[in-house]
């Protein structure tokens, strides 16, 4: 057996490292954390100084047994998990769970998975950093306490099965407040004037230096322009410098991958993880922009080779964030000479983005010449201005230009013709377009990460999980808004004629923007009323600072938890006892026939409209679910009344009634006992019987093609075609088929054996026995 056991947290990382070490080393993966807080109860002993109660999860018991056996046989155990707090905690849990001895255990870390970095780490082992472990324990314990105590409050006061979290609830608050800001925004119109002028064959486009607030004011200006003789009143040329962006941190990588590649935050981190484990980039969870001397030398060498000496400008970047650890590096390639890699498409795209940003950060500044031309006329107080830009030396722009999250209209910036002060110009066209002020844009994932970082909420390791969690839990969704048609004025002065026309455009169109759901808004408002400290941005940022202080050994982690718990627990008890239920209830008006009150609110199964109140009217109330695109905050009385026209009877098909309706999972048609979801383009209020029959027959064909094999002796067992290939279904449980298995040839016994061999979240699953008809007159067997 090998003398040395190296334990890392992922199989891919293990495979890469094993290739660098000799036959005296065996590298194994722990597959992440081997133990965590017990899933039963709070798992924190409040009375005993908040001591956590850890347990090995069921799916890790076999891994722990194997690692224990290997650790006993090895002379030295090397704990080589990631270098951040989470990685340090994994190493500590391994040390505790495997019962390792201090004298035979060594902790090593590395910023990149290269042979040089691994061998260097082996030469400089250290002990487990308990301060980093305590910072991670403090985060885990605090988040468990907040979630465990707040969630039951939401179950009782809002709706069952809801959850709350220390960081996730603050992220939802940001999105809710932005939505309210947008809904409250009153757009105002203004008129933007642009002119096109010529000097010989040269053309000059310029913007007026002011905007008009009314059509009449704009028209009056165009009238004055009819008799104006335009000329160049000023030309200014100034040299300018454009500097490269610093190398990537986790948040800037997530933002840029979103803008340039269209990646979600989760997708970016998943691809970056694979690149890191393959030894292509440095560690991808960092808030430092620092580059090591090795990296600086590597970048310089490649720039000199590929672009020449004039493009090289070695630069050391300083991290503005006080909590960032300069010992860590920015995200960069491990080999600057590799401009690209052979890998999957996503990995190639992200690697090239990281390479370009890193190499550009070490390149020369771009040298520009910016020209501003003013165009005026005697008797005209306003003037037109044209701006142009010429690149004299491209520098880092040869490789890379940073994108911007700002959703604003860009100013014209082009190469301008050669003109001088006093040159006469011919007016070709002056146009005025009615524009409208816009509310702040809804967050996309990248801009939400940027805002969280600005506020000091969360850390590089928490951005992606937070954004993923708030969507999975139904507090936030990515909405696609079609927008609405808006008319605007367009005025044009050409020759000496002013023409006016009304044009139209689509406004408010949104895609992949984060919007709060009704339940997200109600929960946020409830938490703001009763737990404002938890949702306070400054408090949440302060907690992150306290975690940093624990990591530096400046604060005892249990004291920090103790100081938080007292006031928080008191708020929980007070809210449970004294607060009212939160439903987001809003009165829309009264029913035009019965006169009964109509309200919208959050019900047990989501947003709903209610007509009447049994307590007030003595009659049973009527209920209808809101459609997916509707909200309790914006639905009108007329739209609410429309919902009570459902279910709609469409007619009969095969002697069974066909109806259209809206349910918990969206609009559908019902045919007997079958429920078929409507497509995106179908509307339950207008769908016809012919269309419904088409959908019913489509579903039947789909179901027929889906079934590969069933067993009459046990109807619960089915072999089906799925999105990713054939799979086994028993009751409500799904099971993967072993690689190379021909589904159609499997027997019932083989299916039950496959189910028996695969663990579920509760451990091994006992496969159901085949159902057999009982023998005649014999008592049925107890199941």
């Amino acid at each position: 057996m090998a003398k040395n056991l190296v334990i890392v947290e992922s199989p891919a990382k293990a495979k890469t490292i094993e290739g660098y070490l000799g036959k005296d080393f065996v590298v194994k993966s722990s597959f992440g954390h081997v133990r965590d807080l017990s899933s039963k109860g709070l798992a924190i002993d409040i009375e005993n100084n908040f001591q956590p109660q850890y347990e090995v999860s069921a799916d890790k018991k076999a891994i722990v047994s194997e690692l224990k056996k290997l650790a006993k046989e090895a002379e030295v155990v090397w704990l080589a998990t990631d270098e951040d707090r989470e990685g340090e905690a994994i190493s500590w849990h391994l040390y505790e769970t495997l019962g390792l001895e201090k004298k035979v255990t060594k902790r090593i870390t590395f910023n990149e998975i290269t042979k040089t970095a691994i061998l260097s780490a082996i030469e400089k082992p250290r002990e487990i950093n308990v301060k980093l472990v305590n910072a991670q324990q403090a985060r885990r314990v605090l988040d468990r306490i907040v979630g465990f105590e707040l969630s039951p409050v939401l179950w009782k006061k809002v709706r069952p099965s809801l959850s709350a979290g220390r960081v996730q609830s603050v992220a939802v608050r940001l999105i809710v407040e932005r939505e309210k800001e947008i809904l409250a925004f009153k757009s105002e119109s203004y008129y933007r004037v642009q002119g096109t002028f010529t000097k010989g064959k040269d053309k000059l486009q310029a913007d007026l230096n002011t905007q008009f607030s009314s059509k009449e004011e704009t028209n009056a200006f165009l009238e004055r322009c009819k008799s104006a003789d335009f000329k160049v009143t000023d030309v200014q040329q100034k040299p300018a410098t454009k500097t490269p962006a610093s190398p990537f941190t986790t948040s800037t990588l997530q933002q840029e991958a979103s803008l340039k590649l269209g990646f979600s935050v989760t997708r970016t981190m998943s691809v970056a993880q694979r690149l890191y484990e393959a030894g292509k980039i440095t560690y991808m969870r960092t808030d430092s922009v620092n580059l090591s001397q090795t990296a600086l030398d590597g970048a310089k060498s490649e720039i000199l080779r590929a672009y020449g000496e004039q493009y090289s400008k070695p630069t050391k970047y300083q991290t503005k964030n006080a909590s960032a650890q300069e010992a860590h590096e920015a995200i960069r390639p491990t080999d600057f000479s590799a401009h690209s890699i052979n890998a999957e498409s996503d990995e190639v795209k992200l690697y090239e983005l990281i390479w370009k940003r890193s190499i550009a950060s070490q390149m020369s500044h771009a040298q520009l010449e910016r020209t501003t031309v003013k165009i005026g006329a005697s008797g005209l107080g306003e003037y037109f201005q044209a701006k142009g830009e010429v690149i004299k030396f491209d520098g880092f722009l040869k490789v890379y230009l940073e994108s911007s999250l700002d959703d604003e209209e860009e100013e014209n910036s082009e190469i301008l013709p050669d003109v001088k002060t006093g040159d006469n110009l011919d007016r070709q066209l002056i146009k005025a377009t009615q524009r409208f002020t816009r509310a702040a844009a809804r967050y996309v994932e990248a801009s939400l990460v940027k805002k969280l970082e600005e506020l000091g909420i969360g850390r590089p390791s928490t951005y992606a999980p937070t954004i993923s969690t708030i969507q999975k839990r139904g507090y936030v969704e990515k909405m696609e808004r079609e927008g609405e048609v808006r008319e605007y004025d367009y005025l044009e002065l050409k020759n000496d004629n002013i023409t006016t026309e009304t044009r139209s455009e689509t406004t408010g169109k949104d895609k992949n923007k984060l919007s709060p759901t009704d339940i997200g808004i109600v929960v946020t408002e409830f938490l703001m009323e009763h737990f404002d400290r938890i949702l306070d941005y400054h408090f949440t940022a302060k907690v992150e600072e306290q975690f940093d202080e624990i990591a530096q050994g400046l604060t005892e982690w249990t004291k920090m938890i103790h100081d938080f718990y007292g006031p928080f627990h008191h708020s929980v008890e007070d809210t449970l006892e004294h607060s009212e239920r939160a439903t987001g209830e809003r009165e829309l008006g009264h029913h035009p026939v019965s006169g009964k009150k109509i309200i919208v609110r959050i019900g047990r199964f989501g947003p709903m409209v209610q007509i009447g109140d049994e307590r007030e009217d003595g009659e049973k109330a009527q209920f209808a679910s809101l459609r997916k695109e509707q909200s309790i905050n914006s639905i009108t009385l007329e739209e609410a009344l429309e919902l009570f026209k459902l279910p709609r009877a469409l007619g009969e098909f095969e002697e069974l009634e066909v109806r259209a309706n809206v349910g918990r999972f969206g609009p559908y048609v019902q045919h007997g006992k079958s429920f078929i979801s409507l497509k995106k383009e179908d509307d339950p209020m207008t769908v016809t019987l012919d269309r419904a029959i088409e959908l019913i027959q489509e579903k039947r064909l789909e179901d027929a093609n889906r079934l590969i094999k069933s067993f009459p002796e046990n109807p619960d067992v089915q072999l089906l075609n799925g999105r990713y290939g054939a799979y086994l279904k028993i009751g409500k449980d799904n099971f993967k088929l072993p690689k190379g298995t021909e589904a159609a040839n499997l027997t019932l016994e083989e299916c039950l054996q496959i189910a028996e061999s695969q663990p579920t979240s509760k451990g091994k699953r006992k496969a159901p026995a085949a159902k057999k008809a009982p023998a005649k007159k014999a008592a049925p067997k107890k199941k």
Side-chain angles (χ1 to χ4, degrees), residues 351-363:
Y351 176 84
E352 289 178 355
L353 185 69
I354 292 167
W355 183 87
K356 286 175 181 176
R357 174 84 165 221
S358 303
I359 206 86
S361 76
Q362 300 303 304
M363 292 177 74

Side-chain angles (χ1 to χ4, degrees), residues 25 55 64 422 487 587 599 619:
F25 288 82
E55 67 174 10
V64 168
E487 292 185 339
E587 185 175 330
I599 61 168
E619 296 178 25

Side-chain angles (χ1 to χ4, degrees), residues 378-551:
S378 59
L380 206 64
E382 301 86 355
Y383 62 86
F384 289 87
Q385 186 168 265
K387 291 184 176 180
E389 191 173 89
V390 176
I391 298 173
K392 294 292 188 181
F393 172 65
D394 54 2
F396 76 94
L397 293 175
K398 196 173 190 74
V399 174
Y400 178 84
L401 177 61
E402 185 182 21
S403 301
S404 171
L405 275 166
D406 294 331
D407 191 24
E408 297 296 327
E409 292 181 18
E410 292 183 6
E411 288 186 345
N412 289 330
S413 187
E414 54 186 306
I415 297 174
L416 301 178
D418 185 22
V419 293
K420 298 179 180 64
T421 302
D423 283 355
N424 292 317
L425 300 174
D426 293 322
R427 166 177 52 81
Q428 189 179 51
L429 172 75
I430 297 178
K431 62 180 181 178
T433 310
Q434 186 183 17
R435 298 289 80 206
F436 301 86
T437 56
R438 294 185 292 176
R442 289 179 176 89
Y443 289 107
V444 292
E445 288 189 0
S447 58
L448 182 59
V449 166
K450 185 178 181 183
K451 187 66 177 177
L452 289 170
E453 187 180 39
E454 283 173 4
L455 293 171
I457 296 167
R459 285 293 178 263
S461 60
T462 65
Y463 300 139
T466 296
I467 290 172
S468 174
T469 298
I470 61 178
Q471 292 178 73
K472 283 179 185 171
R473 293 187 174 163
Y475 292 144
V476 170
E477 60 187 347
K478 286 182 180 174
M479 290 281 288
E480 193 166 326
R481 292 176 172 82
E482 294 301 322
E484 55 189 36
V485 175
R486 174 177 67 192
E487 292 185 339
Y488 67 94
D489 296 327
Y490 175 80
L491 295 83
E492 184 177 285
L493 169 61
K494 194 168 187 181
N495 298 324
D496 284 331
N497 295 319
I498 298 175
T499 56
T500 303
E501 58 182 278
T502 301
R503 295 181 174 181
S504 62
E505 62 186 352
T506 300
T507 181
K509 194 171 183 177
D510 261 353
K511 192 175 181 183
N512 287 332
K513 298 284 181 74
L514 298 171
S515 299
T517 60
D518 282 339
I519 193 66
I521 293 170
V522 171
V523 166
T524 299
E525 289 175 346
F526 177 81
L527 292 175
M528 282 295 294
E529 183 180 350
H530 300 286
F531 298 93
D532 58 330
R533 185 165 173 247
I534 292 289
L535 265 69
D536 181 79
Y537 299 136
H538 299 297
F539 171 76
T540 310
K542 180 67 179 171
V543 168
E544 293 294 344
E545 289 172 13
Q546 289 176 307
F547 291 149
D548 294 337
E549 288 170 3
I550 293 166

Side-chain angles (χ1 to χ4, degrees), residues 650-659 670-672 676 689-690 692-698 700:
L650 305 182
E652 286 193 0
F653 174 56
E654 297 175 346
E655 298 183 355
L656 291 173
E657 187 182 30
V658 180
R659 299 192 298 174
Q670 182 180 356
H671 177 242
I676 300 97
L689 177 62
D690 288 344
I693 292 170
E694 187 183 328
L695 291 169
I696 291 164
Q697 290 174 333
E698 268 182 27
R700 285 178 179 173

Side-chain angles (χ1 to χ4, degrees), residues 20-301:
Y20 298 140
L21 299 171
K23 57 183 171 61
D24 288 337
F25 288 82
V26 63
V27 186
K28 290 289 177 182
S29 167
S30 68
F31 293 84
H33 277 281
V34 292
R35 69 174 188 175
D36 195 3
L37 292 173
S38 172
S39 55
K40 296 172 185 174
L42 178 60
I44 296 160
D45 191 344
I46 303 290
E47 303 302 323
N48 188 20
N49 208 18
F50 301 94
Q51 285 309 301
Q53 295 162 358
Y54 293 112
E55 67 174 10
V56 176
S57 48
D59 60 332
K60 293 296 175 71
K61 286 183 177 174
I63 294 165
V64 168
S65 296
E66 183 195 8
L67 291 176
K68 272 185 177 177
K69 180 175 178 292
L70 293 170
K72 281 181 182 176
E73 295 169 354
E75 292 177 14
V76 181
V77 178
W78 304 80
L79 300 174
T81 52
D82 291 341
E83 60 180 346
D84 59 7
R85 294 170 197 172
E86 202 70 27
E88 204 70 23
I90 292 173
S91 281
W92 178 73
H93 282 298
L94 283 165
Y95 181 86
E96 296 281 317
T97 307
L98 302 180
L100 301 177
E101 294 179 35
K102 199 171 183 178
K103 61 182 179 182
V104 297
T105 307
K106 296 182 179 181
R107 171 79 172 115
I108 55 171
T109 59
F110 31 82
N111 188 46
E112 57 186 61
I113 304 176
T114 58
K115 187 170 185 177
T116 305
I118 303 301
L119 296 178
S120 174
I122 293 281
E123 290 172 10
K124 295 179 286 186
R126 61 170 173 82
E127 293 182 0
I128 291 170
N129 186 332
V130 179
K131 292 181 285 189
L132 291 182
V133 173
N134 286 340
Q136 191 275 343
Q137 279 198 112
R139 182 186 292 277
R140 187 74 187 92
V141 167
L142 187 63
D143 288 348
R144 171 61 72 91
I145 287 172
V146 170
F148 190 84
E149 297 214 358
L150 266 192
S151 297
V153 177
L154 297 180
W155 303 342
K156 187 174 180 181
K157 300 295 182 179
V158 185
R159 200 180 81 184
S161 303
L162 295 174
S163 68
R166 184 182 56 81
V167 176
Q168 77 176 51
S169 298
V170 176
V172 175
R173 179 190 167 187
L174 279 168
I175 293 163
V176 168
E177 288 185 343
R178 176 60 58 88
E179 192 69 22
K180 288 182 176 180
E181 188 184 330
I182 291 167
L183 293 175
F185 183 79
K186 302 295 182 192
S187 181
E188 295 178 356
S189 76
Y190 62 93
Y191 289 78
R192 184 183 179 194
V193 181
Q194 295 169 296
T196 303
F197 304 91
T198 57
K199 180 196 169 189
K201 292 182 180 180
D202 292 328
K203 189 181 287 186
L204 206 62
Q205 292 187 333
D207 292 327
L208 193 68
N209 69 318
T210 188
Q211 294 164 346
F212 300 113
S213 58
S214 70
K215 184 177 178 180
E216 293 73 23
E217 200 181 353
T218 308
N219 196 72
F221 172 76
L222 295 181
E223 285 288 352
R224 285 188 283 134
C225 288
K226 282 182 179 180
S227 58
D229 294 322
F230 289 95
K231 63 180 179 180
V232 176
T233 58
D234 187 37
V235 178
Q236 288 190 6
Q237 290 181 323
K238 292 181 180 177
T241 301
K242 194 184 282 287
T243 57
S246 58
F248 281 132
T249 62
T250 302
S251 70
T252 53
L253 175 64
Q254 290 168 347
Q255 292 164 44
E256 198 73 344
S258 171
L259 293 167
K260 276 192 161 64
L261 307 177
F263 285 10
S264 70
V265 167
T266 303
R267 183 177 172 189
T268 297
M269 294 312 290
S270 175
V271 177
Q273 179 91 29
R274 297 200 295 272
L275 289 172
Y276 166 68
E277 289 173 346
K280 303 299 182 187
I281 63 169
T282 53
Y283 191 52
M284 64 286 152
R285 281 188 274 275
T286 177
D287 47 12
S288 172
V289 292
N290 181 47
L291 291 178
S292 67
Q293 191 57 49
T294 305
L296 293 171
D297 293 342
K300 181 179 179 180
S301 174

